[in-house]
Amino acid sequence: LTFNERINYAIDKVKASLIVAYASSKEMKMFAENYKDVIFITLGATYEDELDNLVGVKYDMYNAGYLLGYLAGSSTSTNNLGIIGTDEETNSELISGFSDGALQANDSVIITVDYMGKETYNNGYYQNKSEDVEDTELARSKAYSMYSNGIDIILDLANNSSEGIIKSAEENDKYVISDCMNKSDNILACFERDITYGLNLIVKDYNNKNLKNNYNFDINNGVNITINDKISDEVKDKIQELESEM
C-alpha cells in the first residue's frame, strides 16, 4: 500500500481518530484539511499554519549528539572517530552536535563521515530508498575500513543496516555508539527518541483540550542517552555536568 492508501484505510476502515506517522509535512497537512475530525501527528515536522487537528513533533538531537561526541572525544585512544549514516540529510542535527562535542573534548580529533546511500520521500512515504541503505554487509565493510584505518569509535546512524556496523565492532574489538534498540557489549553509549513519552504528553493535552500545533522534545525530555559502564567515572561526571547545563 502507498502512504495515501494506508492513511485512507486507517480513516475509512479502522475509523481512527488519531494518526501518527513519519511522513511529509505537506502530505499530512492535506489530510488534516480534508478530515477535520481526525488528529494528524507528524513526527519530525513543525507547522506554522495553525490547524486544530494538525500536530508537528520535533526531536532536537543536537544536544544528545553533543554529549555523545564529548564522550567519544574523551574516550578515543587514537584521536580518530567515524560516523556512518544513511544519507547527508538524515540525522544532520545529531551529526553536527556529535562533531562539536568531540572537538570540544579533544581538539586533536579527526572525524571521518561516510554514508550508506540515499533515502527520499515519495508521497509522504520512504519509497525511493537506495538498496545500499539496508545493506548490512556494506555497512560492515564500511565499518571495517574505518576500524582498519585507526578509527576506534564509530557513531552508527545506519538505521536498518546497523547490525553490520555493530558486528564489525565486535570482530575488531572496537567500539560503537548506536540507537538504544541495538544491543552489544561493544556499544559505549546509545541514544533514543522516546516516541511513547511524546505521544503520552500529546494525548494528555488532547484529552484536556489543550492540544498544541507543535511539540519540541530535547535531551531528557523525550530524547535520552545511556552510557556504558566502560566509560570512566570522570567522563561520566563531565557528561552529567554538561547535561545539567542544557
Side-chain angles (χ1 to χ4, degrees):
L1 294 177
T2 67
F3 177 75
N4 287 4
E5 290 170 340
R6 291 166 188 256
I7 296 295
N8 286 323
Y9 181 86
I11 295 170
D12 298 333
K13 302 296 184 182
V14 182
K15 306 300 181 184
S17 59
L18 187 149
I19 293 176
V20 183
Y22 275 111
S24 161
S25 58
K26 292 181 180 179
E27 202 77 13
M28 289 288 270
K29 182 179 178 181
M30 180 193 74
F31 278 109
E33 290 171 340
N34 293 331
Y35 297 94
K36 299 293 187 182
D37 295 332
V38 179
I39 302 297
F40 292 87
I41 300 175
T42 313
L43 301 176
T46 56
Y47 293 101
E48 294 181 3
D49 299 329
E50 294 190 359
L51 295 175
D52 291 339
N53 63 328
L54 183 63
V55 177
V57 177
K58 185 74 166 55
Y59 290 89
D60 183 355
M61 298 302 293
Y62 177 87
N63 284 337
Y66 186 93
L67 295 175
L68 294 170
Y70 196 96
L71 179 150
S74 301
S75 304
T76 177
S77 59
T78 64
N79 290 336
N80 283 280
L81 304 175
I83 300 173
I84 300 178
T86 52
D87 61 86
E88 292 185 24
E89 296 177 7
T90 307
N91 288 311
S92 59
E93 282 186 350
L94 204 158
I95 291 172
S96 177
F98 182 88
S99 300
D100 289 347
L103 290 169
Q104 180 64 37
N106 181 353
D107 59 11
S108 297
V109 157
I110 297 172
I111 302 172
T112 302
V113 184
D114 198 0
Y115 298 103
M116 293 293 299
K118 181 67 176 175
E119 288 183 321
T120 56
Y121 280 118
N122 182 14
N123 290 327
Y125 191 65
Y126 278 127
Q127 292 178 334
N128 296 338
K129 181 181 288 186
S130 165
E131 293 181 0
D132 290 347
V133 172
E134 297 186 348
D135 188 339
T136 56
E137 282 305 310
L138 177 61
R140 184 179 180 183
S141 174
K142 287 178 178 292
Y144 177 79
S145 178
M146 285 189 174
Y147 289 137
S148 297
N149 284 284
I151 289 171
D152 58 349
I153 302 172
I154 293 176
L155 173 62
D156 159 35
L157 302 174
N159 296 340
N160 292 338
S161 54
S162 290
E163 178 185 344
I165 297 172
I166 295 169
K167 182 67 174 177
S168 184
E170 293 170 345
E171 292 171 339
N172 291 279
D173 196 25
K174 303 294 184 181
Y175 295 105
V176 63
I177 295 171
S178 189
D179 190 289
C180 287
M181 291 187 297
N182 300 318
K183 306 299 178 185
S184 170
D185 289 340
N186 294 69
I187 296 177
L188 287 182
C190 66
F191 59 88
E192 66 173 339
R193 299 168 179 85
D194 191 344
I195 295 174
T196 301
Y197 172 91
L199 291 182
N200 284 340
L201 180 60
I202 292 169
V203 170
K204 180 180 178 181
D205 283 353
Y206 172 72
N207 290 334
N208 292 332
K209 301 186 184 304
N210 189 35
L211 190 65
K212 303 176 183 65
N213 284 112
N214 291 294
Y215 289 80
N216 294 295
F217 299 104
D218 200 344
I219 189 73
N220 282 334
N221 178 33
V223 177
N224 304 312
I225 65 170
T226 302
I227 300 174
N228 190 303
D229 288 339
K230 290 185 173 69
I231 300 299
S232 70
D233 289 340
E234 180 181 357
V235 173
K236 286 181 182 177
D237 290 344
K238 182 60 179 180
I239 297 298
Q240 188 173 10
E241 178 187 335
L242 292 170
E243 193 172 334
S244 67
E245 296 171 353
M246 292 177 169

